[in-house]
Amino acid sequence: DPKLFGIDEPGIHERVKQSCMKCDLDMRGDAWRNIVLSGGSTMLPGIDERMRREIISWCSSTREYINGPVKVICPPERKYGAWIGGSILASLSTFHEMWVTKTEYE
């Protein structure tokens, strides 16, 4: 919880809840069952189980209906996920067609 360190921002579990709640009702269950953690800060031991418990606890207290189990996925390569994804994207033969020039951006 960032508040423990004097930071007035929601924790990662709060951000996940906010994101899932923005989904259409018919897609929300899939969102709850496909939470994927990525990045170096997700390398803390037990973060997947803690996230799962936080989500289940919140859903129980607010009566948010989840059709099926909450699933938190923590791939072992998550520390480098952004780099791996960027590498795959850059290796695509069509990647140059996706570029945005400075003029287009402005």
Side-chain angles (χ1 to χ4, degrees), residues 19-90:
S19 295
C20 289
M21 292 303 290
K22 288 181 180 180
C23 293
D24 289 337
L25 281 174
D26 58 334
M27 298 296 294
R28 206 173 285 172
D30 288 334
W32 292 124
R33 289 187 300 278
N34 291 287
I35 300 168
V36 180
L37 300 181
S38 180
S41 60
T42 67
M43 299 302 291
L44 296 168
I47 194 167
D48 53 341
E49 183 54 33
R50 178 173 177 190
M51 175 70 73
R52 193 179 75 73
R53 277 195 323 266
E54 293 277 356
I55 298 295
I56 290 171
S57 172
W58 177 79
C59 289
S60 298
S61 67
T62 61
R63 299 178 192 224
E64 172 65 21
Y65 177 69
I66 299 177
N67 186 16
V70 172
K71 185 175 181 184
V72 179
I73 303 160
C74 283
E77 66 279 359
R78 67 188 180 271
K79 183 176 181 180
Y80 303 107
W83 290 102
I84 293 168
S87 173
I88 292 168
L89 183 64

Side-chain angles (χ1 to χ4, degrees), residues 87-106:
S87 173
I88 292 168
L89 183 64
S91 69
L92 295 175
S93 62
T94 57
F95 181 57
H96 69 281
E97 297 170 13
M98 299 177 213
W99 293 350
V100 176
T101 66
K102 181 178 178 185
T103 306
E104 291 172 325
Y105 178 76
E106 293 173 342

